[in-house]
Amino acid sequence: MKKLTIEDVAQKAGVSKSTVSQFLNKRFKYMSEATKNRIADVIEELNYQPNGLARSLKQNRTHMVGIIVANLDYSLSIQCIRAIENELQRHGIQVIICNSDENADKENTHVEALVARQVDGLIIFPTGDHPSPYTRLIEAEYPLVFMDRLVEGITTQSLLLDNEMAVKTAIKELTGKGHENIAILSLPLGEHAITPRKERMSGYRKAMEEAGLRMNDEYVRSVPREAIASALDELLSLPQPPTALLAANDLVLGEILKYANRHSIAIPGQLSVIGIDDAEFARIYNPAITTIRQPAYEMGMQAAKIMLSLIEDQGDAMPITYRFPPALQLGQSVQAPTPTK
């Protein structure tokens, strides 16, 4: 049986091969609805299957995009990936997902492997702060989008939360309930000061200052995940322990809630708690935890749309940093502090 070609489809539909090619590549800008429907009907009638490999070689495209995630444990990462994948698949592009485990060397290995596989572009949650690996991609006009983090010295399309506003929103909610002794607990800033952690810490200091509250350095803790319990021991053993606690991300919030359960700490009776990142478990916990939501799915959708535009325009676009506004998700984990006797 003769293998069907694009020319067979074109003849049957009464159009040129280039018009069929435009249809297959979802380029409908100058195509009438009638022509689109006619080609679609012929493809269905003939059961025509495009030769994906041949198309990739001819177009110098693989219809694949690489996503390199700093840490798959974050709810942000999972929600962003879902949105990116859904949007790209709607345009016939598959994704390859790699996890760098917060390791710059591992990330570089993933970049090299994905470029060798000739993916059409890269969406990276960057771990490193050395610009050279990213500079090479930009110099080659490789479609590149950063998610959640910035890298000093690199200007590319970047999407992240307005982290300082997220902390200010949390502090405003706590001070509005009468809290003055507010602690913040974060994972380590890292050797190169990971953007969200750095900005949330600076946002805390600014928000406390704007609220007219005295900064207590003992209330500021930046420790590894496995040391969070010890940090909480120290915080709650202070002569004047905090009455409220801000968890700088969902991993920290999870550890705080485990600690509260183990030590029978009543939330919000003994300690008011707010978390940044709208983790699913925050709504399941009893009581539901007040969180500062970042629009992860919307961020992922926007990243995919930017990537599609970069692929079509071959990376020729003015670099923009997109900041997404946070939103307060009220739970029952904040109340006025209990007066001391």
Side-chain angles (χ1 to χ4, degrees), residues 119-314:
V119 295
D120 296 333
L122 290 172
I123 298 175
I124 303 178
F125 296 67
T127 60
D129 201 44
H130 297 297
S132 56
Y134 312 115
T135 301
R136 288 196 294 270
L137 294 171
I138 292 169
E139 288 174 348
E141 297 184 351
Y142 207 86
L144 175 65
V145 175
F146 279 171
M147 293 290 299
D148 188 45
R149 303 173 180 186
L150 304 174
V151 176
E152 190 173 348
I154 294 297
T155 305
T156 190
Q157 309 296 333
S158 305
L159 301 93
L160 67 164
L161 181 70
D162 186 335
N163 289 295
E164 289 196 354
M165 180 58 68
V167 176
K168 287 181 182 180
T169 302
I171 299 297
K172 183 178 180 181
E173 175 66 13
L174 292 168
T175 56
K177 292 290 193 295
H179 289 277
E180 296 182 357
N181 300 320
I182 304 168
I184 184 170
L185 190 53
S186 167
L187 295 177
L189 294 180
E191 184 182 351
H192 308 297
I194 293 169
T195 306
R197 301 176 195 176
K198 176 177 67 175
E199 292 182 348
R200 290 171 192 181
M201 280 296 191
S202 65
Y204 168 82
R205 295 180 183 279
K206 289 178 183 177
M208 294 291 284
E209 184 178 335
E210 288 174 11
L213 298 176
R214 183 179 66 85
M215 271 295 303
N216 184 341
D217 288 337
E218 289 187 302
Y219 287 174
V220 181
R221 302 294 171 117
S222 178
V223 298
R225 189 174 184 176
E226 59 273 15
I228 289 174
S230 296
L232 287 166
D233 283 337
E234 294 170 6
L235 278 170
L236 299 178
S237 299
L238 291 171
Q240 189 173 41
T243 60
L245 187 57
L246 174 59
N249 67 25
D250 55 345
L251 297 186
V252 174
L253 177 61
E255 295 302 317
I256 290 171
L257 298 182
K258 290 177 194 173
Y259 181 94
N261 282 345
R262 285 197 305 269
H263 294 82
S264 301
I265 295 172
I267 296 174
Q270 294 171 260
L271 185 69
S272 288
V273 175
I274 293 183
I276 299 178
D277 295 338
D278 191 24
E280 183 70 24
F281 65 79
R283 292 189 290 275
I284 298 170
Y285 191 82
N286 187 19
I289 305 300
T290 293
T291 58
I292 309 299
R293 174 184 177 268
Q294 54 179 323
Y297 197 87
E298 295 89 330
M299 290 165 67
M301 287 283 287
Q302 183 68 18
K305 289 175 180 176
I306 292 170
M307 177 54 65
L308 288 166
S309 177
L310 290 174
I311 291 170
E312 289 296 322
D313 298 335
Q314 298 189 342

Side-chain angles (χ1 to χ4, degrees), residues 8-15 20 35 38-39 42:
D8 295 323
V9 175
Q11 287 180 354
K12 181 84 172 175
V15 297
V20 177
T35 300
R38 193 160 67 252
I39 295 172
V42 169

